[in-house]
Amino acid sequence: MPSHRHKHPLISMNTSENAEVPSATNNTVDNSQLSADSILTIGASHSSLSMIGQNTTFSHDASSVKTRSRESSIHSNQNHTAMASSPTTSYQGDSSLMHYDSFSIRNAVGHMKRRGFFTGSSDHHVHNSHGHSMTRQQRLNQDSIETIDWMKEEYREAKRKQNLFRKQSMNEQYARMHGFGASWLMFINRKLFYLKMAFYSAQGWILSFLIGVAAGVFAGMIDIGAEWMGSLREGLCWKFPWLSQKRCCVGTTEAICDSWLSWTDFMIPHATQTQQNLLAYAIYISSAAVMAGVSAWFVKRFARYAAGSGIPEAKTILGGAVIRGCFGIWTLIIKAIGLILSVGSGLSLGKEGPLVHVVCCCGNVFSRIFSKYHRNEAKKREILGAACAAGVAVAFGAPVGGVLFALEEACTYFPPKTLYRSFFASVIAALFLQLMNPHKTGKIVMFSMSYHTMWHWFELIPFMALAIIGGVLGALFNRANITVAKIRFRTFVKRLPIFEAVIVASLTAVLRFWNPFTRGSTNDLLAGLFNNSCDGEWSVDPLFRKACNLENYTVMIELILSGIIFFVLTIFTFGLRLPSGLFIPTLAMGACFGHVLGTLMKYLQETFPSHWFFSECQIGGETRACVLPGIYALTGAAACLSGVTRVTVSIVVIMFELTGGLEYIVPLMLTVVVSKWVGDAFEKESIYEMYIHEQGYPFIDNKVDLEPIEITKQIMTPMEHIEAVFTENFHVSDVRNMLSRSKVNGFPVLQRNNLIIGYITRASLTRALEKNKHQINVSTKIVFSKRQIRKAGGQPDASMTAYINRLNLSNYLETSPIQVSEYTTVSSVYNIFKALGIRYVLVTRNGELAGIVTKKDVVNFVSHGTHAMPFIPQMIDPNDDPTDLMDDDDVDDDESHHFGSVPTDEDGIA
């Protein structure tokens, strides 16, 4: 059988809970003793399964079956071989054995076979009863991603403030006690404390200002760089090579610009027109392929999280997850450079989503300045929420729309102070973007409308038609794109990201070169379509003036083909392993179809001006500018974008800020709402949520409501598969063995009868052992209260006179973890996770611990309909530093004070 190695060695194996227990004559193990004293975990790496008589042995490559009995694990430095007197089934691990009845083993093996662990699939799919499957990449993503506990983080921040006031009070008491209580000295001390607290409160505003500055600067640099790279594909400004064609020809038209030289005029100035066209075509394609390939190489070589839009990762992190390296410095640098290359290559993508990711990286980097945000994940997400708003603000030139987008789509936790800081950061970002002036228009918007004509009631019918078209196209796009993504993730294509990017870029250049509407910049296309009223006074560009003539079938076909090209190419482009967004190509496909429909309506109105349907146009005798195709292009663009992203309010505000067309707010609102309804009829999830589930990110959507059918018992990890800390007969050797063989992030603390005492995190145990490593040995006993120390009494053994005999971990204990009954509905547990932001819930049966449900378990249930991941929850990479969870430079804070614990000044030594 082929060998399959998993990055994370431990999985939990669920046995049949209702299986009939064999009689005592079959040498079974008592179930109550087993659940209290034994833990069974089976390694995901496996190479062979051998059946020998009644004894079954599992042999594994790296992490085999790891088991523990509390009584047999006290002396951890010795090699144990616990053999039963009766013939039972043995699980052989790296250093220990455990006895278990063969009946349960057969059930467990059958369960694993049904889950697909003994198949030769290279993707290691895990199937469930609903027919869904999870790939190896999804499981690795979930195992390497941490989730935060919002309640604990809020408690830590409150405790931090309390300690500051307590320290000030102690300083004043000390001064009075020692004769330093002069009124002037106390007055100065108190004023200094007030200044310190004012600075402490202003740190969030300082970071918001820095984020706004960085957002404006990065957006301006990316706009200028992408424009220059795009112009480089067609020619060069020979006087000023660092300028794009627009900047090179400022004050003149491109037709008479002497400073700009095309590649054909530079290389073969005296060649025929056919030869020049072929050379231009070859350079156009090759330059696109090179830029896309270099961008993909940068991502693959330096920062894998720089690929894609970044909004799914941003939503996951803002929802309470911690993804290593996603918002790091390297990701920031590679994302910015790769985005310039990707946009310049002419691929069917936009810079808006990646720009949000860039600004969020800036927010994460700046948060390291102040420990208040650097060492508190909940507070850090307040800053990241403001960064997300600033990113959208500079991406579209829409500050208010950016704040609404962060509130509506990106952020799960959005308190009022985050709203104000987001608005402040967006304003600062817009100011610095205007100072950069990347478009050379003095405006921060990419395009605007030069006419302001009121819409008419009869136009609601074509507007609703555009809404339906947008919703259908959005649903089709989402389904087709996620299908392509699954093929990309689960086939050999995932190993060739650079080759794939080059092929898609070349195909894009081939298709876009010969169409005058798609050959140039997509932003220029949108600006022309939105600003085109099909009136000679306003339509200056001859290309768009032709698009107003319905009798010119060639131009209409080109415009329809442009929409189809954007639709098809974006399906294959969004998801490439390079920085790519979908806002601009989605707007482009909707604008093309909308302009065609607007031109058709204008033709009908001018052909039948006296028809009752167009009677509203004759009010006041004005019939010339009754129907404006530009409005239909704007409406169609908003409909398509809403159908893909399922965002409503922020899209309306963004489109209003983009164009300045306040008169069209009402039809835009109706259009995006109907488009969302139509899209939801096909698929409830937006494209970003689909990618979140495809990647296996632990994200709980606040918009999802579950039916109260299943109970918690169906999705919990049962007691038999949980590593636990016991309050009696538990030693340092047991803790070290448990930490070495298990990669979970926390452990329930139980009495002998499985009564819950509390919960202790892995980081706390590791820190306690490290802090007292010179004062403890393997026989040091673990206790969780001083009462246990007094009850134990006695003197230390002669062999450990240099050490302590008790290690008190009560300071590290969470004494009030959230608990639910095993018969609580999953919908109630889901609402608990949504409302409280916690990352685990303990499940009880008659007051005793029955299992545990983590945030990842709930996410798996919502995504796949069952507890589809048989891993022990909240696992991390054994090769990674558990204190480094956001990026390569973050270090976790000391967590000795937990929510629900009683912090003291003791060091834990008894």
Side-chain angles (χ1 to χ4, degrees), residues 24-28 54-55 83-89 99:
T25 59
N26 292 330
N27 303 306
T28 61
Q54 285 184 319
N55 296 329
M83 302 298 295
S85 59
S86 57
T88 58
T89 301
H99 306 292

Short mmCIF file of all heavy atoms in Angstrom, two decimals, residues 24-28 54-55 83-89 99:
data_model
loop_
_atom_site.label_atom_id
_atom_site.label_comp_id
_atom_site.label_asym_id
_atom_site.label_seq_id
_atom_site.Cartn_x
_atom_site.Cartn_y
_atom_site.Cartn_z
N ALA A 24 -17.41 -10.28 29.10
CA ALA A 24 -16.13 -10.34 29.79
C ALA A 24 -15.29 -11.50 29.30
O ALA A 24 -14.07 -11.48 29.40
CB ALA A 24 -16.36 -10.45 31.29
N THR A 25 -15.91 -12.53 28.79
CA THR A 25 -15.14 -13.67 28.30
C THR A 25 -14.33 -13.34 27.08
O THR A 25 -13.41 -14.04 26.72
CB THR A 25 -16.10 -14.83 27.96
OG1 THR A 25 -17.01 -14.37 26.98
CG2 THR A 25 -16.82 -15.30 29.20
N ASN A 26 -14.68 -12.23 26.40
CA ASN A 26 -13.92 -11.82 25.22
C ASN A 26 -12.80 -10.85 25.56
O ASN A 26 -12.24 -10.20 24.70
CB ASN A 26 -14.85 -11.16 24.19
CG ASN A 26 -15.81 -12.17 23.60
OD1 ASN A 26 -15.48 -13.35 23.50
ND2 ASN A 26 -16.99 -11.72 23.24
N ASN A 27 -12.52 -10.72 26.87
CA ASN A 27 -11.39 -9.91 27.32
C ASN A 27 -11.54 -8.44 26.90
O ASN A 27 -10.68 -7.87 26.26
CB ASN A 27 -10.06 -10.45 26.77
CG ASN A 27 -9.85 -11.90 27.16
OD1 ASN A 27 -9.91 -12.25 28.34
ND2 ASN A 27 -9.61 -12.75 26.17
N THR A 28 -12.64 -7.84 27.24
CA THR A 28 -12.85 -6.44 26.91
C THR A 28 -12.33 -5.56 28.03
O THR A 28 -12.02 -6.02 29.12
CB THR A 28 -14.35 -6.15 26.70
OG1 THR A 28 -15.04 -6.45 27.91
CG2 THR A 28 -14.89 -7.01 25.58
N GLN A 54 -5.75 -12.54 16.80
CA GLN A 54 -6.64 -11.63 17.50
C GLN A 54 -5.96 -10.30 17.80
O GLN A 54 -6.61 -9.35 18.18
CB GLN A 54 -7.11 -12.26 18.83
CG GLN A 54 -8.14 -13.35 18.64
CD GLN A 54 -8.63 -13.87 19.98
OE1 GLN A 54 -7.85 -14.05 20.89
NE2 GLN A 54 -9.91 -14.10 20.08
N ASN A 55 -4.65 -10.26 17.67
CA ASN A 55 -3.93 -9.03 17.96
C ASN A 55 -3.69 -8.26 16.67
O ASN A 55 -3.12 -8.78 15.74
CB ASN A 55 -2.57 -9.33 18.62
CG ASN A 55 -2.75 -10.01 19.96
OD1 ASN A 55 -3.73 -9.75 20.63
ND2 ASN A 55 -1.81 -10.86 20.33
N MET A 83 1.48 -5.09 28.54
CA MET A 83 0.84 -6.20 27.87
C MET A 83 -0.25 -6.76 28.77
O MET A 83 -0.07 -6.93 29.97
CB MET A 83 1.85 -7.32 27.57
CG MET A 83 3.02 -6.85 26.70
SD MET A 83 2.49 -6.28 25.08
CE MET A 83 1.86 -7.83 24.44
N ALA A 84 -1.40 -7.06 28.21
CA ALA A 84 -2.51 -7.60 28.97
C ALA A 84 -2.32 -9.10 29.14
O ALA A 84 -1.70 -9.77 28.35
CB ALA A 84 -3.83 -7.31 28.27
N SER A 85 -2.90 -9.60 30.20
CA SER A 85 -2.82 -11.04 30.45
C SER A 85 -3.73 -11.81 29.53
O SER A 85 -3.54 -13.01 29.33
CB SER A 85 -3.20 -11.33 31.91
OG SER A 85 -4.50 -10.85 32.18
N SER A 86 -4.69 -11.19 28.99
CA SER A 86 -5.61 -11.85 28.07
C SER A 86 -5.36 -11.36 26.67
O SER A 86 -4.84 -10.28 26.46
CB SER A 86 -7.06 -11.55 28.48
OG SER A 86 -7.25 -10.17 28.51
N PRO A 87 -5.75 -12.18 25.67
CA PRO A 87 -5.47 -11.79 24.27
C PRO A 87 -6.36 -10.65 23.82
O PRO A 87 -7.51 -10.85 23.48
CB PRO A 87 -5.76 -13.08 23.49
CG PRO A 87 -6.73 -13.81 24.34
CD PRO A 87 -6.41 -13.49 25.75
N THR A 88 -5.83 -9.45 23.82
CA THR A 88 -6.56 -8.29 23.33
C THR A 88 -5.80 -7.69 22.17
O THR A 88 -4.71 -8.11 21.83
CB THR A 88 -6.70 -7.22 24.45
OG1 THR A 88 -5.41 -6.86 24.88
CG2 THR A 88 -7.52 -7.76 25.60
N THR A 89 -6.40 -6.67 21.58
CA THR A 89 -5.79 -6.00 20.43
C THR A 89 -4.84 -4.94 20.92
O THR A 89 -5.20 -4.10 21.73
CB THR A 89 -6.88 -5.37 19.55
OG1 THR A 89 -7.74 -6.42 19.14
CG2 THR A 89 -6.26 -4.70 18.36
N HIS A 99 -4.04 -1.41 25.36
CA HIS A 99 -4.95 -2.53 25.14
C HIS A 99 -6.35 -2.00 24.87
O HIS A 99 -6.83 -1.13 25.55
CB HIS A 99 -4.97 -3.44 26.37
CG HIS A 99 -3.60 -3.89 26.76
ND1 HIS A 99 -2.86 -4.73 25.99
CD2 HIS A 99 -2.82 -3.56 27.83
CE1 HIS A 99 -1.69 -4.94 26.57
NE2 HIS A 99 -1.64 -4.23 27.69
#
